[in-house]
Amino acid sequence: MKAQLEAIEKKAFEELTAAQDLKDLDAVRVKYLGKKGELTAILKQMGKLSAEERPVIGQLANQVRAQIEERLEETKTNLEAHLLDQRLATETLDVTMPGKRSVLGKKHPITIVLDELKEIFIGMGFDVAQGPEVELDYYNFEALNIPKDHPARDTQDTFYINDNVVLRTQTSPIQIRVMEKQKPPIRIIAPGRVYRSDALDATHSPLFHQVEGLVVDKNITMADLKGTLEVFVKRLYGEESVVRFRPHHFPFTEPSAELDVQCFNCHGEGCRLCKGEGWIEILGCGMVHPKVLENCGIDPEEYSGFAFGMGLERLVMRRYNIDDLRLFYENDARFLNQF
Ligand code: DAH
């Protein structure tokens, strides 16, 4: 048995010396020290030995085990160091290679102006509200005092999903959704995409953006509307801007108006920029129609409000001197990188 143990030690050492990688090492460990290993097999036969032999052989077996374990560890450390050296030698790093630049995205000009607009209104105490782009006819028209046979529907070139569902043609339905949910005081703006069945050209697009505004509280008057919108225009276009309110008609406001800003280019004289008008139309607005308040469960005897709505694309085109609407939707990086 002693001879057997010595033979095992010798063989194990030889195999460890020959091991090329960690897998080989593990195989040696299993072969000799594992549960079904050669050394274990010997130890299982210890019972057959005489009382004198047993401690001697036992001690020897333990020694052999310890030796193999020690050699295993040593070989492992050496092998690992060797493998690392090999990897370092083959994996060279060329620090003179040019770096891969990642291209930084930019904000879309519509987003830039919208962010600015939000900041102006948030500064005046407004919240930002949202509504669905696929909208019920009820919210897009009916509740805004535009019944089925109303001529205002013709001007809106509506995409109908079915008789009751449309792609919203304006952000005004968000007014209704907010008033249904929230008791006055209400002070919100609501930006979003709107859809109209127009062919795409330099000045028309079937998809564009509007920003809606709504204020409802006790004792809100036309003076609040004028003051708020004047501040807005002066913040957006500069303190020196001149505005005027021109009577107009919208079904959901009474009275209604359009707000113009005096042409920055000719100061009212009339030029190419303002198409000879001297003034540039910015938005529609008015005092919320009592019927609209009623439709939302708000008592028009107790509360009043004003609303406004503007097209975002035109503001942005004027701001950056962009003359073709289509540039906004093509996402050409050469265009977008200019802002
Ligand atoms: N929704 C109108 C449009 O698309 C714009 C508008 C006008 C909104 C007057 C308003 C408003 O809230 O008071 O033409």
Side-chain angles (χ1 to χ4, degrees), residues 170 172 175 196 210 212 250 252-253 284-286 307-309:
Q170 48 189 356
S172 305
Q175 288 188 32
R196 293 189 194 179
Q210 286 188 339
E212 194 77 13
F250 297 104
F252 34 88
T253 45
C285 56
F308 56 90

Side-chain angles (χ1 to χ4, degrees), residues 2 4 13 16 23 49 68 80 97 147 204 230 255 262-263 274 287 309 320:
K2 187 164 170 247
Q4 266 180 315
F13 276 21
L16 281 176
K23 237 171 71 194
L49 294 175
I68 295 177
E80 277 171 350
M97 290 262 283
H204 296 86
E230 255 180 63
Q262 199 175 65
C263 179
C274 57
M287 301 305 293
Y320 294 117

Side-chain angles (χ1 to χ4, degrees), residues 140 144 146 155-156 169-173 175 194 196 208 210-214 225 248-258 281 283-288 306-311:
N140 196 77
L144 286 163
I146 313 173
T155 62
Q156 301 235 342
T169 60
Q170 48 189 356
T171 42
S172 305
Q175 288 188 32
V194 299
R196 293 189 194 179
F208 57 104
Q210 286 188 339
V211 180
E212 194 77 13
L214 174 70
L225 178 156
H248 200 76
H249 174 265
F250 297 104
F252 34 88
T253 45
E254 181 58 35
S256 305
E258 279 190 328
E281 181 213 317
L283 55 79
C285 56
M287 301 305 293
V288 181
F306 70 83
F308 56 90
M310 65 191 111

Side-chain angles (χ1 to χ4, degrees), residues 289-314:
H289 198 295
K291 268 200 195 158
V292 173
L293 292 174
E294 263 171 24
N295 287 342
C296 305
I298 294 176
D299 181 0
E301 297 295 328
E302 192 180 354
Y303 292 104
S304 53
F306 70 83
F308 56 90
M310 65 191 111
L312 197 48
E313 272 78 351
R314 284 204 287 157

